[in-house]
Amino acid sequence: MSELPTLAVVGATGAVGTVMCELLSARKNVWGEIRLLASPRSAGKTIVVRGAELTVQPLTADAFDGVDVAMFDVPDEVSAEWAPIAASRGAVAVDNSGAFRMDPDVPLVVPEINPEQVRNRPKGIIANANCTTLAMIVAVAPLHHEYGLRELVCASYQAVSGAGKIGIDTLLDQIDRVSGDRVLGSRSGNVRQAVGDDLGPFPAPLALNVVPWAGSLKDGGWSSEELKMRNESRKILGLPDLKVSATCVRVPVVTGHSVPIHAVFGSEVDAEGAQEVLRHATGVILVDDPAAGEIPMPIDAVGTDPSWVGRIRRSLDDPRALDLFVTGDNLRKGAALNTAQIAELLAVEFTR
């Protein structure tokens, strides 16, 4: 009888960590012992995983002893410190933060696209892509393999859950403040006045508004989120010279990041051919019948695993270009699910 590997979930009480625990209960059981780790203030809490009530342990070096795979969902600075510690204790760290994504010695893995890269881990660390990139790249990759991608121009419509629980609470509190007032948004300043100073992690009100900013300021006026979409897409697809231009926008949606895409390829494309490619692509659900009201939207994609893709059109001005719309649950495929899928690839390797 085979011995199943030991898994640690680091950051088990956070928004994504909670989804990770739910996925462990819902997906095929490939794990033996599961350890839940978090900060000292969360230690002692209990979470039900696979029908068993597990107690959250404090994050310490000793907690990784005997662990084969450790899934991390913690802030960048915590991963930067603790993922190497986990690796030094013999675990493979699968990290959902941005700490290692662009490290040349750390593979950036999307199992539907480059699963072979899980074995290329000289530091004992595997990185998970940014949630916005993940929603998009699962749909873009099969089109690239068919037509040869040359350029991406995209925007992101990012849900507030991407900023964590505080993002969700901020939006819902703001909605409470503006609900019932039918003149709000009809003149400059009245939404700001109604919302007040409680902006949470955002630079402006989200209720009745969109904010064309996500991330931190980088050179040239670009945001960190926009550069992630460019740099991570290049690394995942193995296209270091791919032209990518992104604008990241925060929208008043609780969960579900969306990306309208203008993709230019090396050969001519047509909508029907692209639909056929995506209809058979792993991790994608095609929702593309506007006449019947079938279009991909975050309110439908939330709680599901695939990237929902639709509004596929050949560009009016370039026979080599497609326009399409992608949306997906940023807490599932955009974070927890992709991490779990990577870990499951490793589970096969560590099953004894």
Side-chain angles (χ1 to χ4, degrees), residues 26-323:
R27 294 177 66 80
K28 182 181 177 182
N29 182 19
V30 297
W31 304 107
E33 180 189 353
I34 294 177
R35 300 179 194 173
L36 307 183
L37 308 179
S39 64
R41 71 175 182 275
S42 296
K45 294 182 178 178
T46 59
I47 299 175
V48 176
V49 180
R50 298 186 307 182
E53 191 171 71
L54 303 182
T55 300
V56 177
Q57 304 174 36
L59 179 58
T60 65
D62 292 347
F64 293 106
D65 288 346
V67 170
D68 296 298
V69 180
M71 302 194 301
F72 278 75
D73 183 68
V74 290
D76 289 12
E77 63 274 12
V78 179
S79 281
E81 176 183 358
W82 285 96
I85 292 173
S88 73
R89 295 285 178 136
V92 178
V94 184
D95 182 39
N96 189 43
S97 83
F100 300 99
R101 288 174 186 152
M102 300 315 298
D103 186 323
D105 292 325
V106 174
L108 186 61
V109 174
V110 181
E112 293 89 346
I113 300 171
N114 58 350
E116 73 286 350
Q117 289 297 316
V118 297
R119 295 187 176 274
N120 177 28
R121 48 174 200 267
K123 291 186 175 180
I125 301 170
I126 299 171
N128 194 37
N130 172 267
C131 50
T132 315
T133 304
L134 273 167
M136 173 184 72
I137 209 72
V138 173
V140 167
L143 295 173
H144 162 58
H145 294 149
E146 184 73 19
Y147 301 115
L149 186 64
R150 297 291 182 268
E151 182 177 349
L152 285 173
V153 180
C154 51
S156 69
Y157 303 160
Q158 294 182 216
V160 295
S161 57
K165 185 176 183 298
I166 188 175
I168 298 172
D169 290 342
T170 297
L171 174 62
L172 297 179
D173 288 345
Q174 290 181 2
I175 289 173
D176 285 342
R177 292 193 182 106
V178 303
S179 63
D181 190 337
R182 292 178 176 267
V183 302
L184 288 178
S186 62
R187 65 177 185 275
S188 178
N190 63 359
V191 171
R192 287 184 182 272
Q193 185 176 14
V195 167
D197 297 329
D198 184 14
L199 301 179
F202 310 118
L206 258 296
L208 306 179
N209 195 27
V210 298
V211 179
W213 185 259
S216 56
L217 182 62
K218 300 299 181 181
D219 291 346
W222 295 95
S223 81
S224 58
E225 291 284 307
E226 291 158 351
L227 296 181
K228 287 175 186 177
M229 293 185 73
R230 176 179 187 263
N231 296 333
E232 293 175 21
S233 295
R234 288 175 157 194
K235 186 173 181 178
I236 293 166
L237 295 175
L239 297 173
D241 298 321
L242 180 67
K243 295 180 180 179
V244 183
S245 182
T247 299
C248 288
V249 183
R250 193 74 72 175
V251 297
V253 171
V254 173
T255 300
H257 288 355
S258 304
V259 186
I261 299 167
H262 178 79
V264 182
F265 298 92
S267 58
E268 285 198 18
V269 294
D270 62 77
E272 292 75 17
Q275 287 171 332
E276 190 63 17
V277 169
L278 291 169
R279 187 174 286 113
H280 299 287
T282 303
V284 169
I285 182 169
L286 184 66
V287 186
D288 197 16
D289 188 356
E294 295 181 5
I295 49 180
M297 294 179 287
I299 59 168
D300 299 318
V302 63
T304 72
D305 292 341
S307 289
W308 293 46
V309 188
R311 295 301 326 282
I312 299 170
R313 296 145 284 154
R314 186 166 85 164
S315 172
L316 295 174
D317 302 310
D318 186 347
R320 301 171 301 119
L322 287 172
D323 290 276

